[in-house]
Amino acid sequence: MSAAKKTTKSNSDDYLRMYRQMVRIRTFEDNANQLYLSAKMPGLTHMYSGEEAVAVGICEALTDNDRITSTHRGHGHCVAKGAEFKQMFCELLGKEEGYCRGKGGSMHIADQSHGNLGANAIVGGSMGIATGSALRAKLQGHDDVTVCFFGDGATAQGLLYEVMNMAALWNLPVIYACENNGYSEYTKTEEIAAGSITARAEAFGIEAFKVDGQDVLAVNELTQKLVARCRKGEGPFFIELETYRYHGHHVGDINREYYRSKDEEKDWKENRDPIIRFRGWLVEQGIATEDEIEAMNAEIENDAADAVSYAEAAKYPDISEVDMHVFAD
Amino acid sequence: MREITLSQAVNEALAEELRRDPTTFIIGEDVAEAGTPFKVLSGLVEEFGTDRVIDTPISEPGFMGIAVGAAMTGARPIVDLMFGDFIFLIMDQLCNQAAKTHYMSGGKLNVPLVLRTNMGATRRSAAQHSQSLQALVAHIPGLKVAMPSSAYEAKGLLKTAIRDNNPVVIFEDKLMYQDKAPVPEEEYLIPFGEANIKREGKDITLIATSSMVQVAEKAADILSKEGIEAEVIDPRTIVPLDEATLIESVKKTSRAIVIDEGHQSYGVTSEIASRLNEKAFYHLDAPVVRMGAMDVPIPFSPALEDITVPTPEGVVETARKLCSGELIHAA
């Protein structure tokens, strides 16, 4: 790992929590994928597997009072920001106890209690929302920071440039986090993005950083610094996180060799997996033993299995809810 | 009672609400020192400063999105969209984000914002600065739509909109900014979903929105001289729509014309006429007639532009036919 951190006791707790959160995301996604493959989940979903260090590295630098906006590939952000498995699986299955009472589903999952303003099914659709959250913080004199997650594909949307311009003009406490997983849906990023991604932000005078998105400590260390600077009024910032999506664009995108080779996927999974790398580092540093890690993994798997069973048995919303929540009181 | 212009009424409503609620702010292009091209906001930045009256770059989707995010997290933004025609630029932020957030979150997130914009042709501004696009917005569940017909309505509806916990779009007719009307000095609000019966009559109901209320009233004056007593009703908000008042009136008069400056096809007039047909059919003596703008892009030439919108004379002619039992096959 890049960060040669001093492993004090309190840091050890932080590291173990980061590991746990990454495994929770991977486990959540494995279960969500199974629900899809066994035709138990309505619709389809977009897997975050492979990108765990991005969501966890960033969200571990935030408090519940800090806000995030998420994307169609948003389960990872939701878990990392503090959401519970039960309400998440209930939402994916359209059940009443879901975070959005089953009205949003995978692509609109939101968890206001932890500051997650919601996934968004329009690519780039939440860039204005994140920037507006930051404007509200500044106008009201609050020190919370908003992180706007989006993918490399969303850098092709014009909204990004409108809001980065305003965020820079007004010094807003927002961090634009570009998860560059190499693919814009079914197309290589190099075919949709001319020039440099970070230079796009730099053109507005926004400090931009490029970081290994498979290295949770590097992501976390950078984000901590930027969050602290945002709180002091030094925002906005831009981070490009180099990462990789293990699945296709969505769970149904199975035969994908026409745009991505199996060798490339194998290489990222075997040599750059964020969980395997961090696990090795934890053991090497003496922060956890293999046995302790296995026990943690097993506990998370059980939690997920319980949550899936719970969600499968849970009630659908009553049909009287269909025209509820169109308008707020 | 004192009389003030519609522009002054809007300005007063904004000033009062900005004073009352520190979470409100105005955001848009040239809203501060310039006070907008129509000068509706003149003087506000001097009182409230540039943190409450925020000038933006020419980035409509950007500042609309920013307003949505601010509204979701505890502010009450009042967005100024310089021309109603620019709604096409902000459709995703307005219709996919603002309108749906409360529903998609199962009621957990609110988007209390106001989008003030304008409408209205015959200002010689051609096809991209003259449209009346209220039907587009009214079609989307989750958005409320107000259409003030005078300075009095403009003030009362705007204050209600700012206090509403939902996204509200207000269309002001830009040709009416200098029109004066009696407006009380003391504070008042106009509730949404309450139509205003502007003039009572027994022979035909003229349902009209925004500046078309003036058209309907002029038509009613002419018709009255001919012995036809028209009832003029202003719905004031088209979402929510005070269907009950409209239906009651039509049950009484048995005839109706619906007048709105949006394009006639698939428009506000179509929707209201359709509801009257569904809910008051057996009380009708004639088809409910729609009168909207012609289905053409608004032309520049005055000779062409003036014939694209409903006029008092046109309303009178149609009303006469309906009342005399003449067979009518309206377009």
Side-chain angles (χ1 to χ4, degrees):
Chain A
M1 307 300 285
S2 63
K5 286 211 170 182
K6 204 176 145 200
T7 55
T8 63
K9 177 70 184 130
S10 67
N11 277 348
S12 296
D13 290 346
D14 291 344
Y15 299 145
L16 290 172
R17 197 175 56 249
M18 282 190 230
Y19 178 80
R20 169 182 287 274
Q21 287 291 65
M22 288 203 289
V23 175
R24 286 182 77 233
I25 293 171
R26 181 74 55 88
T27 309
F28 183 90
E29 295 296 54
D30 288 346
N31 280 274
N33 195 37
Q34 276 310 310
L35 284 168
Y36 169 78
L37 293 172
S38 57
K40 287 178 179 167
M41 187 174 67
L44 49 74
T45 185
H46 307 79
M47 298 277 99
Y48 197 75
S49 309
E51 306 185 17
E52 293 87 352
V54 173
V56 172
I58 289 177
C59 291
E60 283 294 314
L62 303 175
T63 70
D64 280 353
N65 206 30
D66 295 315
R67 313 304 213 280
I68 64 163
T69 61
S70 172
T71 70
H72 60 286
R73 196 175 306 289
H75 304 161
H77 311 133
C78 197
V79 170
K81 200 70 175 67
E84 298 294 336
F85 279 174
K86 267 187 191 172
Q87 289 98 309
M88 284 187 71
F89 280 119
C90 280
E91 190 58 35
L92 260 61
L93 297 183
K95 301 300 178 74
E96 183 186 28
E97 287 179 69
Y99 273 114
C100 310
R101 301 191 71 78
K103 282 179 163 147
S106 164
M107 284 199 287
H108 301 294
I109 198 161
D111 171 19
Q112 197 197 7
S113 59
H114 294 101
N116 179 357
L117 298 175
N120 206 303
I122 304 296
V123 170
S126 67
M127 292 158 168
I129 294 170
T131 311
S133 169
L135 175 64
R136 177 268 321 150
K138 184 174 182 188
L139 291 177
Q140 299 187 356
H142 298 149
D143 76 347
D144 62 277
V145 172
T146 305
V147 174
C148 177
F149 286 104
F150 57 97
D152 46 282
T155 63
Q157 292 280 23
L159 184 63
L160 176 62
Y161 306 98
E162 296 192 7
V163 299
M164 282 202 300
N165 184 38
M166 285 183 266
L169 284 168
W170 303 337
N171 292 111
L172 300 184
V174 57
I175 298 172
Y176 298 101
C178 177
E179 304 176 308
N180 184 352
N181 63 22
Y183 292 87
S184 167
E185 299 193 359
Y186 315 94
T187 303
K188 282 189 192 298
T189 304
E190 64 212 42
E191 294 172 29
I192 59 102
S196 143
I197 285 181
T198 48
R200 288 155 162 72
E202 285 161 355
F204 296 100
I206 296 175
E207 268 185 74
F209 303 83
K210 199 166 179 173
V211 64
D212 179 357
Q214 307 307 86
D215 180 346
V216 70
L217 291 182
V219 173
N220 184 253
E221 196 176 25
L222 174 64
T223 311
Q224 284 196 32
K225 280 182 196 155
L226 300 184
V227 167
R229 289 182 61 192
C230 271
R231 295 201 206 287
K232 287 192 288 182
E234 295 174 22
F237 297 103
F238 187 102
I239 312 175
E240 179 185 355
L241 302 111
E242 289 176 292
T243 186
Y244 199 74
R245 123 198 140 194
Y246 286 175
H247 293 256
H249 168 51
H250 58 74
V251 283
D253 175 20
I254 298 192
N255 298 315
R256 50 183 180 266
E257 281 182 88
Y258 68 93
Y259 71 84
R260 194 167 92 168
S261 73
K262 282 192 173 157
D263 284 348
E264 181 189 293
E265 292 183 6
K266 191 162 170 274
D267 181 46
W268 278 84
K269 285 179 188 175
E270 289 180 359
N271 301 315
R272 296 186 68 174
D273 183 82
I275 296 175
I276 296 173
R277 285 173 75 184
F278 194 48
R279 175 184 172 143
W281 185 82
L282 289 173
V283 173
E284 184 193 298
Q285 296 288 313
I287 297 166
T289 65
E290 287 287 351
D291 287 350
E292 285 164 346
I293 284 176
E294 284 302 325
M296 199 194 294
N297 292 353
E299 182 200 325
I300 293 167
E301 275 177 33
N302 286 337
D303 283 353
D306 288 350
V308 168
S309 305
Y310 184 89
E312 284 179 322
K315 282 192 308 179
Y316 282 114
D318 189 84
I319 57 169
S320 64
E321 291 209 22
V322 69
D323 60 357
M324 237 185 233
H325 309 127
V326 177
F327 291 108
D329 293 333
Chain B
M1 197 186 295
R2 65 165 183 161
E3 292 203 342
I4 59 172
T5 65
L6 192 147
S7 175
Q8 288 169 323
V10 169
N11 191 294
E12 274 191 10
L14 291 169
E16 288 174 18
E17 293 304 300
L18 284 169
R19 272 176 221 131
R20 188 187 62 81
D21 183 349
T23 68
T24 56
F25 64 88
I26 296 170
I27 186 165
E29 294 153 2
D30 290 317
V31 293
E33 287 79 7
T36 77
F38 297 98
K39 303 296 168 197
V40 176
L41 307 185
S42 294
L44 293 177
V45 73
E46 285 75 9
E47 178 175 352
F48 299 101
T50 51
D51 276 355
R52 305 284 303 282
V53 185
I54 303 172
D55 266 344
T56 67
I58 303 171
S59 302
E60 289 86 0
F63 66 73
M64 184 65 206
I66 284 174
V68 177
M72 283 168 69
T73 54
R76 287 183 174 270
I78 304 159
V79 179
D80 187 291
L81 188 67
M82 197 181 281
F83 282 89
D85 310 69
F86 305 164
I87 272 187
F88 291 116
L89 291 165
I90 62 161
M91 272 301 198
D92 180 59
Q93 295 305 312
L94 180 64
C95 299
N96 273 330
Q97 312 298 339
K100 294 176 174 54
T101 293
H102 185 68
Y103 190 84
M104 291 193 302
S105 68
K108 288 186 184 155
L109 292 162
N110 289 350
V111 187
L113 70 80
V114 176
L115 173 65
R116 279 186 51 251
T117 192
N118 54 41
M119 52 166 284
T122 69
R123 200 169 160 269
R124 316 312 179 211
S125 304
Q128 295 172 346
H129 283 71
S130 305
Q131 297 168 89
S132 300
L133 297 173
Q134 52 274 18
L136 290 182
V137 179
H139 187 67
I140 305 302
L143 300 176
K144 295 185 179 181
V145 185
M147 298 186 64
S149 62
S150 78
Y152 175 79
E153 270 81 18
K155 184 170 181 187
L157 290 171
L158 178 52
K159 286 171 67 83
T160 302
I162 294 168
R163 300 181 192 194
D164 199 286
N165 286 325
N166 297 282
V168 180
V169 186
I170 298 193
F171 289 90
E172 295 157 7
D173 192 314
K174 50 185 153 339
L175 282 103
M176 289 173 63
Y177 278 130
Q178 297 314 315
D179 288 3
K180 285 189 172 182
V183 173
E185 302 266 3
E186 60 276 14
E187 178 167 79
Y188 66 96
L189 300 172
I190 298 176
F192 284 2
E194 283 191 17
N196 184 24
I197 302 175
K198 300 281 291 185
R199 174 185 181 128
E200 294 201 14
K202 61 179 175 41
D203 299 319
I204 185 166
T205 302
L206 306 178
I207 297 162
T209 62
S210 184
S211 58
M212 293 299 106
V213 173
Q214 292 179 9
V215 168
E217 286 182 312
K218 280 179 195 155
D221 283 340
I222 300 168
L223 289 166
S224 176
K225 288 173 190 141
E226 301 175 11
I228 297 171
E229 294 306 326
E231 180 145 299
V232 177
I233 304 184
D234 170 15
R236 300 201 284 204
T237 53
I238 56 172
V239 182
L241 181 68
D242 181 2
E243 217 178 63
T245 298
L246 307 183
I247 290 168
E248 275 316 298
S249 173
V250 170
K251 282 182 177 173
K252 178 175 71 176
T253 62
S254 310
R255 299 173 186 89
I257 302 173
V258 191
I259 313 150
D260 174 85
E261 208 183 324
H263 294 298
Q264 183 163 296
S265 294
Y266 304 96
V268 172
T269 56
S270 309
E271 175 63 26
I272 293 175
S274 184
R275 292 202 203 188
L276 296 176
N277 280 328
E278 286 170 6
K279 298 186 179 174
F281 181 76
Y282 298 105
H283 298 269
L284 291 171
D285 288 340
V288 177
V289 175
R290 298 164 300 148
M291 295 187 78
M294 285 174 70
D295 292 328
V296 298
I298 310 296
F300 168 68
S301 171
L304 301 177
E305 186 181 26
D306 287 346
I307 61 171
T308 63
V309 294
T311 59
E313 296 71 29
V315 174
V316 166
E317 198 186 324
T318 305
R320 270 189 209 127
K321 287 182 185 169
L322 291 175
C323 291
S324 66
E326 192 173 321
L327 281 179
I328 184 158
H329 298 284

